[in-house]
Amino acid sequence: MPYLGGEDAVRELRRALSNPNIQSDPLRYRNAILKVIRSMSQGVDVSGLFSEMVKACATVDIVQKKLVYVFLCSYAALNPELSLLVINTLRKDCQDPNPMVRSLALRNMTNLRLPSLVEYVEQPLTAGLKDRAACVRRVAVLGWAKLHNLQPNAEIDASVVNELYSLLRDPDPVVMVNCLRALEEILKEEGGVAINKPITHHLLNRLKECDVWGQCDVLRILQRYKPQSDDELFDILSLLDASLVSPHPPVMAATLSLFLHLCPALPAVTQAALERVRGPLLAACGSASREMRFTALCHIQLLLRSLPGLMGAHYKRFFCGYAEPAYIKQRKMQVLVELVNDENVVMLLDELKGYCTDVNADTAQAAISAIGRIGRSYSDKCLEILTGLLGLKQDHITSAVVQTMRDLVWVCPQCSDTVCAALEGCEETLQDGQVSTRRSDQGSVSDLSDRSDLSRLLPQGRQALLWLLGVYGERISSAPYTLEGFIDGVRSEASLGVKMELLTTAMRLFLCRPAETQDMLGRLLHYCIEEETDMCVRDQALLYYRLLHCGIEETRKVLQGLRSDPSLGVLIGRPAEPVGQWASTFNTLEPLRQVAVETEPASRGSPEHVSTAPSDPLSCSAVEEVQSGSVAVIRRADSSADVPPPLSLSPSPALSPEEFERLWLRRRALNAERGVEKPPEEDFVRVEERVQCPAVPLCSPQSLQAAMQLLNIQTLAFTPPSTLPWRVYLYTHTLQTHADKTPRSTLILGELLYARGNGDGREAEEGGGETTGDEDVKVTLQQQPRDDEALRGFLSILTSVLHTLSADGE
């Protein structure tokens, strides 16, 4: 017989199936049927043998029946009329003394999936629900779900539903779980299976009898039940206690998800449950399955959002193995960043330093980025490591280090001196890497594959270096000479981002070192205006050219805007979120799709050029304006006012320090340009209030942060105590249901400013207003979108916190 011969193969198989000599020999007949199934699995169209295979199903050989049923279920839709010939045989097999034959017949009768056969299937399925063999009842229960899926608009038979509910008490646990699955499918439009107290306790008592996936289904469905009393709740939790530490990760995750659903008002119980699953989660991180390890790491990140110290003592379990894939290594590094503290910072940094030379460029860049995020708290140790990595003279490592330094000085300006000293000479590596990348494009295929990652990373490093040269060019002695090398090679530069950053850097460097930069700036503007083909670069060059015609002071005002205050420190780490913020996503695919909040994308540009995400509440196109005088200040409601609706505060979604500073300064600059003009429709409001709390600037930043976090207010940046002017930056999200029953969410950014003893008002002017009183802390709030009730409520809460801290400080 020809192999995969199409018509010839089918013709040969038909002759074999119709040969009386073969039919009389059971073994030869079974082998002929096996050849048909093999040809079908290899892609040969054997639907023409349907009638011969229908005849072959009339046998007592169970193996032959299974083979024939596989064929019939595959081609029944193509031969609906001939499929009627199988029904009599299947109905006869449903009454066979052998339970295996009965279950096989029922399963394949429903797998034919032909609406014309429904009337012939209902009676055997009804009888199968009461069959004495458990394997038949299992198939019959799922058969009703398949039948409903075949005719979803058909009326549901109440007697069948009642029978399925009664089978929830079947002695076979598989039948019980199959009933839950079938009822979920049949009653989908009604919300699924109804769970009451007797069913709940029955399922809990029999939970250990089910297999792993059966337990997961039961635990998922039990989330619909609400205990009627605290005693019943604790009885349920006691029954679930053993499953919480199950050696099977799916059962443990489903049990914890049920715990979180049952105990939203019992934080102590929830915290105890989260601590109990620490062992199973750590065991899952060492699983032989890569998928299981990755899933466990993603869910550990969820838990750390509410319990940052949960895995602190077990940080070594998150060290990367040599043979682990890159995506697991990167997740582990994200977890390690969240576990850093004074005791383990040296060991963690030493471990991350080893990953920086990984053969995988993405892993190396992730390790360098992780060191940069730790550097926001331990800048000296991290900058020492980053400076040492520059000495390796590896182009992709140097590129990643420069990007990390750029991000670090943007958040922590006090690191700028060390970064400027480290940058001397590293530009040679980046430019050499740029040349070697162009050479690799002209080399062999193997060279190109080796350089593919570097060609993607290096332009980002050059862009970061140019930004640093533009911002700190007056402190880097070789800045003009480095810039001249970039300008000389601008014709061969392929990256649009590097060209645009080069224009901005040349302009900034011209403002601080005009004698050394004037000639090269002129050459760059001439090339970009006269020869450059990209319109974005050409338009930016024209903008700068016309800006220079307006005068140096105007140019300086545009290009040298407000910068971060070097005296500000940054509080590292996300706030401890309430468990309810992420409980609904636990044990779902959502944690696997989420990335760490602090992860920096590889394609990120300069900090000023970061585009705002569409979901950012402050990125709306609505008109924004500062209100001044009596219109600007929204005072606290007096005692005669109506009681405001309840106000909920939440630190999620979190804002990074970069996003906060960019949004805050952008609004200030925009408002300063517009002056006191008032737009016709206001969706943005800026509020100023003075609060008498003289002891607050003397309290420690940790005490202030702890007090704010109790009310879900996130403190981002602060000045040291007793430093003038004393500043604190904070934010929160408000959620309030108004009289029209519609919930409204807003984002509030805030600044606390205390400048006692400042006579000339210089510091106060930098803070955005006039000098504060001797004992006053000026509170400045920015809200988007505008919601006066929510703003008044938040101002009242914040004032109470400040008064409480002031009283404790005294």
Side-chain angles (χ1 to χ4, degrees):
M1 184 180 67
Y3 183 72
L4 288 180
E7 296 181 359
D8 295 337
V10 175
R11 191 180 302 110
E12 183 69 24
L13 289 171
R14 181 180 289 108
R15 281 198 298 267
L17 292 174
S18 303
N19 191 335
N21 295 326
I22 295 178
Q23 291 178 356
S24 61
D25 188 344
L27 184 58
R28 292 178 64 190
Y29 197 32
R30 183 198 295 178
N31 289 336
I33 295 173
L34 186 60
K35 291 179 181 179
V36 175
I37 302 300
R38 186 181 295 116
S39 299
M40 181 182 69
S41 65
Q42 292 174 346
V44 178
D45 183 11
V46 291
S47 59
L49 302 176
F50 196 86
S51 58
E52 285 78 8
M53 296 295 285
V54 169
K55 298 176 184 178
C57 70
T59 179
V60 295
D61 187 356
I62 296 181
V63 176
Q64 182 174 322
K65 281 182 178 292
K66 289 183 178 180
L67 293 174
V68 173
Y69 288 156
V70 169
F71 177 89
L72 296 178
C73 293
S74 299
Y75 290 105
L78 300 177
N79 300 273
E81 296 180 356
L82 291 177
S83 299
L84 290 173
L85 303 177
V86 190
I87 290 298
N88 288 332
T89 303
L90 291 173
R91 288 173 64 92
K92 182 180 178 180
D93 287 346
C94 288
Q95 300 175 359
D96 193 276
N98 189 342
M100 293 295 296
V101 175
R102 297 199 301 271
S103 63
L104 184 63
L106 271 179
R107 178 182 293 110
N108 289 278
M109 191 181 296
T110 53
N111 286 345
L112 292 176
R113 299 188 180 278
L114 293 175
S116 59
L117 303 181
V118 171
E119 55 181 324
Y120 303 102
V121 179
E122 290 181 348
Q123 191 275 330
L125 285 179
T126 303
L129 294 177
K130 301 178 181 179
D131 196 282
R132 62 183 181 275
C135 61
V136 180
R137 297 197 300 273
R138 297 175 185 177
V139 174
V141 168
L142 293 180
W144 279 109
K146 297 177 184 177
L147 212 61
H148 175 74
N149 185 264
L150 191 61
Q151 292 183 325
N153 297 326
E155 185 177 354
I156 302 175
D157 191 346
S159 61
V160 174
V161 174
N162 292 335
E163 186 66 25
L164 291 175
Y165 270 114
S166 64
L167 284 176
L168 288 175
R169 298 188 177 275
D170 192 277
D172 185 74
V174 180
V175 175
M176 178 186 71
V177 175
N178 284 357
C179 284
L180 290 175
R181 294 167 177 163
L183 288 170
E184 281 287 287
E185 181 67 25
I186 295 172
L187 304 176
K188 184 186 299 182
E189 296 183 358
E190 300 178 11
V193 58
I195 299 297
N196 54 24
K197 183 176 180 179
I199 292 178
T200 298
H201 287 260
H202 171 72
L203 294 176
L204 288 171
N205 290 325
R206 298 192 58 189
L207 186 63
K208 295 181 181 179
E209 302 177 18
C210 304
D211 59 5
V212 172
W213 300 114
Q215 292 183 49
C216 293
D217 283 344
V218 171
L219 292 169
R220 175 179 55 83
I221 292 175
L222 287 179
Q223 293 185 15
R224 301 174 188 168
Y225 180 70
K226 294 183 178 180
Q228 300 174 3
S229 63
D230 291 342
D231 293 338
E232 183 184 2
L233 171 62
F234 285 105
D235 289 341
I236 293 175
L237 297 181
S238 299
L239 292 173
L240 294 172
D241 188 66
S243 299
L244 197 60
V245 291
S246 171
H248 304 289
V251 177
M252 177 272 300
T255 306
L256 180 58
S257 180
L258 180 57
F259 258 82
L260 299 178
H261 177 77
L262 292 175
C263 307
L266 299 173
V269 177
T270 300
Q271 181 172 352
L274 295 177
E275 292 176 351
R276 291 211 63 192
V277 301
R278 174 171 47 202
L281 279 174
L282 289 173
C285 289
S287 171
S289 170
R290 294 178 174 182
E291 293 78 8
M292 185 64 70
R293 274 181 283 166
F294 181 76
T295 304
L297 289 170
C298 294
H299 282 79
I300 284 175
Q301 286 183 286
L302 273 186
L303 268 61
L304 292 178
R305 289 165 57 177
S306 294
L307 296 177
L310 181 64
M311 303 288 179
H314 306 276
Y315 64 91
K316 293 184 179 180
R317 300 289 292 270
F318 301 99
F319 285 176
C320 301
Y322 175 77
E324 287 183 326
Y327 61 89
I328 290 182
K329 289 182 179 181
Q330 293 171 19
R331 282 284 177 170
K332 283 189 172 182
M333 285 186 277
Q334 293 173 9
V335 175
L336 287 175
V337 170
E338 300 185 25
L339 300 182
V340 66
N341 54 43
D342 295 340
E343 299 177 357
N344 59 25
V345 60
V346 176
M347 184 173 292
L348 287 182
L349 287 176
D350 186 63
E351 184 72 16
L352 290 172
K353 180 181 177 182
Y355 305 152
C356 295
T357 54
D358 194 275
V359 294
N360 185 290
D362 291 334
T363 302
Q365 186 184 30
I368 295 171
S369 179
I371 293 175
R373 294 197 298 275
I374 296 176
R376 300 177 184 182
S377 296
Y378 305 93
S379 56
D380 295 338
K381 298 182 178 66
C382 294
L383 284 173
E384 181 181 353
I385 294 176
L386 294 175
T387 305
L389 292 173
L390 290 175
L392 297 178
K393 302 298 182 180
Q394 296 289 328
D395 41 11
H396 69 288
I397 293 178
T398 304
S399 175
V401 169
V402 173
Q403 293 179 70
T404 302
M405 287 182 169
R406 185 256 332 259
D407 296 337
L408 188 58
V409 298
W410 176 256
V411 180
C412 304
Q414 62 270 22
C415 304
S416 57
D417 292 337
T418 307
V419 171
C420 291
L423 284 178
E424 298 284 354
C426 79
E427 67 276 358
E428 298 178 2
T429 302
L430 284 171
Q431 291 178 327
D432 292 342
Q434 180 182 4
V435 174
S436 63
T437 302
R438 291 196 295 269
R439 289 175 180 171
S440 68
D441 293 338
Q442 303 171 357
S444 62
V445 176
S446 60
D447 293 338
L448 180 61
S449 63
D450 293 338
R451 306 291 301 185
S452 59
D453 287 339
L454 303 183
S455 63
R456 175 173 59 84
L457 293 173
L458 285 174
Q460 312 304 327
R462 298 196 297 274
Q463 191 173 349
L465 176 62
L466 287 170
W467 184 86
L468 289 169
L469 293 177
V471 175
Y472 300 104
E474 70 278 7
R475 294 154 62 179
I476 302 176
S477 60
S478 60
Y481 313 105
T482 304
L483 186 65
E484 187 172 13
F486 279 100
I487 293 176
D488 291 341
V490 69
R491 286 178 172 81
S492 59
E493 178 60 59
S495 173
L496 173 63
V498 173
K499 290 182 179 179
M500 300 186 72
E501 194 68 59
L502 182 59
L503 278 168
T504 304
T505 301
M507 290 289 293
R508 285 178 170 174
L509 207 57
F510 170 71
L511 295 177
C512 61
R513 303 172 74 167
E516 300 168 281
T517 319
Q518 180 178 0
D519 180 66
M520 66 180 74
L521 175 62
R523 287 189 284 115
L524 178 62
L525 290 176
H526 180 271
Y527 166 78
C528 292
I529 295 174
E530 299 295 337
E531 302 180 37
E532 177 61 44
T533 58
D534 189 279
M535 293 304 297
C536 294
V537 178
R538 185 173 180 273
D539 287 348
Q540 185 171 350
L542 285 171
L543 171 65
Y544 289 155
Y545 179 76
R546 292 162 183 164
L547 187 60
L548 288 171
H549 278 282
C550 297
I552 294 297
E553 292 304 321
E554 290 295 326
T555 305
R556 194 183 306 277
K557 190 181 301 182
V558 172
L559 291 178
Q560 294 184 347
L562 296 172
R563 296 183 186 175
S564 302
D565 188 346
S567 65
L568 285 173
V570 178
L571 293 173
I572 303 305
R574 294 190 297 269
E577 298 182 10
V579 176
Q581 294 288 340
W582 52 263
S584 60
T585 64
F586 190 85
N587 198 28
T588 65
L589 294 178
E590 189 63 28
L592 277 64
R593 291 192 290 264
Q594 294 176 350
V595 296
V597 174
E598 294 290 342
T599 301
E600 301 290 346
S603 61
R604 172 180 162 170
S606 299
E608 301 100 324
H609 298 160
V610 179
S611 59
T612 306
S615 59
D616 190 350
L618 287 182
S619 64
C620 303
S621 59
V623 181
E624 303 161 352
E625 187 60 38
V626 175
Q627 299 176 342
S628 59
S630 60
V631 179
V633 181
I634 300 179
R635 300 294 180 181
R636 294 187 297 273
D638 55 21
S639 58
S640 63
D642 296 335
V643 177
L647 178 66
S648 299
L649 302 180
S650 172
S652 298
L655 285 182
S656 65
E658 302 97 308
E659 293 172 344
F660 181 97
E661 184 174 14
R662 173 170 43 81
L663 295 172
W664 182 269
L665 295 180
R666 186 177 68 184
R667 265 60 187 182
R668 285 180 54 185
L670 178 64
N671 296 327
E673 292 179 4
R674 293 183 177 177
V676 296
E677 296 180 4
K678 192 173 181 180
E681 295 183 3
E682 298 166 353
D683 197 30
F684 167 80
V685 62
R686 180 184 175 97
V687 174
E688 294 180 2
E689 182 82 1
R690 290 181 174 81
V691 181
Q692 290 189 355
C693 43
V696 170
L698 302 178
C699 67
S700 66
Q702 291 75 18
S703 301
L704 180 63
Q705 183 188 28
M708 295 295 183
Q709 284 189 353
L710 287 175
L711 300 173
N712 292 330
I713 302 173
Q714 173 59 12
T715 308
L716 271 183
F718 62 93
T719 50
S722 305
T723 302
L724 294 178
W726 177 83
R727 290 192 184 93
V728 172
Y729 290 100
L730 50 88
Y731 75 89
T732 190
H733 298 266
T734 67
L735 180 62
Q736 189 173 30
T737 303
H738 290 256
D740 56 357
K741 305 298 184 181
T742 58
R744 299 180 186 175
S745 177
T746 65
L747 172 63
I748 296 180
L749 309 179
E751 178 194 49
L752 309 182
L753 173 64
Y754 181 79
R756 180 182 178 184
N758 179 29
D760 56 8
R762 183 168 54 246
E763 285 94 342
E765 184 179 355
E766 294 176 356
E770 63 276 5
T771 308
T772 62
D774 287 347
E775 304 296 337
D776 290 350
V777 171
K778 187 176 73 171
V779 179
T780 305
L781 302 178
Q782 295 183 6
Q783 184 191 40
Q784 174 78 23
R786 180 172 182 173
D787 188 339
D788 293 349
E789 292 183 355
L791 192 59
R792 284 196 298 268
F794 174 75
L795 190 56
S796 177
I797 294 173
L798 184 61
T799 303
S800 300
V801 174
L802 296 179
H803 282 309
T804 303
L805 288 172
S806 183
D808 293 341
E810 295 173 356

